[in-house]
Amino acid sequence: MSRVKANVLPQEILQSPGEHPRFIKQTLGPSLDFARIHLIKDKDVIDDYLAKNIKGLSKQEAAANRNSYKKNICIDMLRQGYHKSFSELFSLIEKWNALREAAGPGSAIWQQKSLEEQPDKLDQLYHFLTRAEAAQRAGHYEEVYDNQLNLAYYFNDPEDKWLSNYFHEQCFNTAKLITTDIRKREAQAHANMGLIKEEQGHVLKAAEYYEIFYHLTVGSTWKDVTGHTYNSLASEYLWRIYTLLADKMLENKEHQQAIKTLKKALKMAKNVGEMKIQGEATYCLSLAYYFAGEYQKALSTLDTSVKIFTPLCESAGLSRAYAAIAKILVSQGKAAETTKRLEEFMKAAENAHLSQSQVDACVLLGNIYNERGSYNEACEYFSQAYETAKTLNNLPLVDETKAYCGIAKAHKLMVPFNSHIEVEDLISLKYLLAWKENRSDMCTDPLTVEPDKETSASEPCEPLLETPDLDPS
């Protein structure tokens, strides 16, 4: 299942981690030396293999060459007394087959090889399952956990996600039995289970796991293999999950509850230690205030997010914040203040050489002036946005700003066009027809017809402006 997506708050803010954190350095088991003749498809190659390997072998060795790779592994597990490992491996293969049958022909899993046809994966399962079983017999549950976690890390491909989740669940159960590591592995297990539940769409359950992960790591100095502290990871996970919960509340019009939850998210964001995350959390809280009708609190909180994003030169965050500020001020009828704030944004973007933010500022200003009917100013800002967009080598953005220019210039052209329509005289009609033919400044074009006295007495028409070429090159 896919991760939960925000419906009210911006989805791009909540980037879920692509994979589970690495709490230990992953290791791989060695390849086994069981014969792989059953994997050879070509008859000549099989004959050559038999000639070189079967001659002089005992019956037991010859049988090993004839057996499937899975059967050889299962026999070896049983021969060495690893009955639990054998049962677990057999059960996993049966589960894969059941999943495949349930999905049916044409499904993605139907096209994949089964576990028993993938010797490299069987090697890893053999190695870590038997090591985990040996450690369990000796009462060394830390080793049991580490072997299970290695398997969870190994099965990281999308088609093996169910196997990864299975071993993370095994780790969670094993961690409860460990009493010698100050609950470090228990904290890891809660983090991994939270990620699984979040991915499956169980946001409340994920929050429960993350909260326990957080409380188990308060005051600790534990770090993952990348150097992140467990507590900062827990804070980041809680910030994200609280924001997702608040998004659902906003969707259900539970504004005050959403505000309360987003305040908790902001607290967690501050614990993470990354200013960008703190800025995003502040921005989300401002939106909750806006939806609740608390506009002054929304503006104040947006100003805080701007102060966080500005030194970071965080273009996307600044653009979102100023767009929200403009929306609130326009809704309050504060046109002059709206323009002032957006011009501040544009100037700050220019000073910081944030081309994307310059485009965003110009588009916001262009839209404001366009809605007011100030088409000259709208054209000017949209043209600036278009020229800046061309420097970014972003064709979709160039096309978007070109469309804005076209809309504003069409609105601007409607003013003189309508004035000619309203005059309702012959010469104005001829001007319009002439313009229709060449789309130039038709009032400067010579007319070959002789106007009559009645039409010549009319007031001169206002020229129709030619629409400049918007060649993106």
Side-chain angles (χ1 to χ4, degrees):
M1 297 176 66
S2 59
R3 294 183 185 276
V4 178
K5 293 185 178 181
N7 294 318
V8 179
L9 301 175
Q11 175 62 29
E12 60 269 21
I13 290 178
L14 302 171
Q15 296 297 326
S16 297
E19 58 182 25
H20 289 252
R22 290 294 192 260
F23 291 118
I24 62 172
K25 187 176 180 180
Q26 182 182 355
T27 60
L28 293 176
S31 296
L32 304 178
D33 58 0
F34 296 127
R36 300 190 178 190
I37 186 174
H38 71 289
L39 299 174
I40 303 174
K41 305 301 182 185
D42 185 82
K43 183 181 183 302
D44 292 335
V45 180
I46 291 176
D47 292 339
D48 182 66
Y49 183 92
L50 290 172
K52 292 179 179 178
N53 295 278
I54 301 299
K55 186 176 180 180
L57 296 180
S58 66
K59 289 183 178 181
Q60 187 178 13
E61 290 170 329
N65 280 277
R66 289 193 301 268
N67 291 335
S68 70
Y69 201 71
K70 180 201 78 170
K71 187 172 182 179
N72 283 331
I73 280 182
C74 291
I75 289 173
D76 195 73
M77 282 180 170
L78 292 173
R79 183 180 293 123
Q80 297 190 48
Y82 292 118
H83 301 92
K84 181 177 182 296
S85 299
F86 163 77
S87 297
E88 194 165 4
L89 175 61
F90 195 82
S91 175
L92 290 173
I93 292 174
E94 289 296 303
K95 183 176 180 181
W96 189 95
N97 291 333
L99 289 171
R100 183 174 182 271
E101 288 297 326
S107 63
I109 192 173
W110 192 270
Q111 311 303 321
Q112 299 167 13
K113 291 182 179 180
S114 69
L115 275 177
E116 54 193 291
E117 296 176 293
Q118 301 184 66
D120 291 336
K121 292 179 180 179
L122 291 177
D123 286 347
Q124 299 305 311
L125 286 165
Y126 176 95
H127 178 76
F128 288 110
L129 287 177
T130 55
R131 283 170 57 116
E133 185 173 352
Q136 184 179 26
R137 292 173 185 170
H140 299 155
Y141 291 105
E142 303 93 332
E143 293 181 29
V144 177
Y145 176 94
D146 290 346
N147 282 289
Q148 292 169 336
L149 189 57
N150 263 298
L151 283 170
Y153 289 160
Y154 176 76
F155 293 105
N156 197 38
D157 293 334
E159 65 267 21
D160 296 329
K161 188 64 180 174
W162 68 276
L163 272 169
S164 178
N165 290 352
Y166 168 81
F167 285 111
H168 278 306
E169 290 169 3
Q170 295 300 105
C171 287
F172 182 77
N173 295 328
T174 302
K176 299 174 184 177
L177 305 174
I178 300 172
T179 58
T180 58
D181 67 346
I182 327 174
R183 305 181 77 180
K184 180 179 180 180
R185 288 176 177 80
E186 186 179 348
Q188 297 172 4
H190 276 89
N192 287 320
M193 288 302 297
L195 288 167
I196 290 172
K197 294 303 178 184
E198 181 184 349
E199 185 177 53
Q200 294 173 342
H202 306 308
V203 180
L204 285 172
K205 192 63 180 177
E208 292 178 15
Y209 282 116
Y210 290 152
E211 285 171 350
I212 296 174
F213 176 40
Y214 175 81
H215 290 302
L216 288 173
T217 60
V218 171
S220 75
T221 57
W222 302 326
K223 294 182 180 180
D224 66 9
V225 295
T226 64
H228 291 97
T229 66
Y230 287 14
N231 190 252
S232 69
L233 283 173
S235 298
E236 183 177 350
Y237 294 166
L238 280 175
W239 158 69
R240 187 179 64 252
I241 212 70
Y242 285 154
T243 305
L244 283 171
L245 287 169
D247 180 79
K248 188 65 176 178
M249 295 168 188
L250 290 173
E251 190 178 2
N252 295 332
K253 310 299 182 183
E254 300 168 356
H255 298 131
Q256 294 307 316
Q257 189 63 30
I259 290 171
K260 182 179 178 180
T261 304
L262 285 170
K263 285 181 178 179
K264 290 168 64 177
L266 178 57
K267 180 181 177 181
M268 290 296 108
K270 291 177 180 178
N271 288 342
V272 175
E274 292 185 22
M275 294 305 295
K276 181 179 182 295
I277 290 178
Q278 186 176 335
E280 302 289 17
T282 305
Y283 169 75
C284 288
L285 178 59
S286 73
L287 292 186
Y289 282 131
Y290 169 75
F291 291 127
E294 301 180 38
Y295 299 128
Q296 288 308 119
K297 285 185 178 180
L299 287 171
S300 175
T301 311
L302 283 167
D303 285 338
T304 301
S305 70
V306 167
K307 291 176 182 177
I308 294 172
F309 287 134
T310 299
L312 298 177
C313 293
E314 178 56 36
S315 182
L318 284 169
S319 297
R320 282 194 298 266
Y322 273 106
I325 289 171
K327 185 175 183 179
I328 293 172
L329 291 175
V330 167
S331 70
Q332 294 178 323
K334 299 179 180 179
E337 188 176 351
T338 303
T339 304
K340 179 182 176 183
R341 295 298 302 273
L342 291 178
E343 287 173 347
E344 289 173 1
F345 175 33
M346 187 173 70
K347 186 173 182 180
E350 290 174 353
N351 293 337
H353 305 290
L354 299 176
S355 297
Q356 179 64 59
S357 288
Q358 291 181 50
V359 173
D360 294 336
C362 288
V363 168
L364 288 169
L365 280 163
N367 282 327
I368 294 294
Y369 281 112
N370 194 47
E371 290 173 4
R372 291 183 197 167
S374 302
Y375 302 126
N376 286 328
E377 291 82 356
C379 286
E380 180 182 343
Y381 282 115
F382 285 141
S383 295
Q384 287 185 47
Y386 171 72
E387 293 301 326
T388 306
K390 289 197 294 184
T391 67
L392 294 173
N393 295 320
N394 184 338
L395 187 57
L397 185 63
V398 169
D399 290 340
E400 181 183 347
T401 53
K402 186 194 296 187
Y404 281 125
C405 287
I407 291 169
K409 288 175 179 178
H411 288 165
K412 181 179 178 180
L413 191 61
M414 286 299 294
V415 176
F417 184 87
N418 287 338
S419 69
H420 285 285
I421 294 293
E422 291 168 358
V423 171
E424 297 181 350
D425 63 5
L426 181 59
I427 194 168
S428 293
L429 178 59
K430 290 176 180 178
Y431 283 153
L432 291 174
L433 291 173
W435 174 81
K436 183 180 178 182
E437 291 297 324
N438 55 35
R439 294 295 196 272
S440 64
D441 183 356
M442 66 131 200
C443 284
T444 62
D445 292 343
L447 294 176
T448 58
V449 295
E450 186 91 9
D452 56 31
K453 292 182 179 180
E454 183 179 355
T455 57
S456 62
S458 303
E459 294 183 4
C461 65
E462 183 181 350
L464 288 174
L465 300 177
E466 180 181 0
T467 302
D469 182 29
L470 289 175
D471 184 5
S473 60

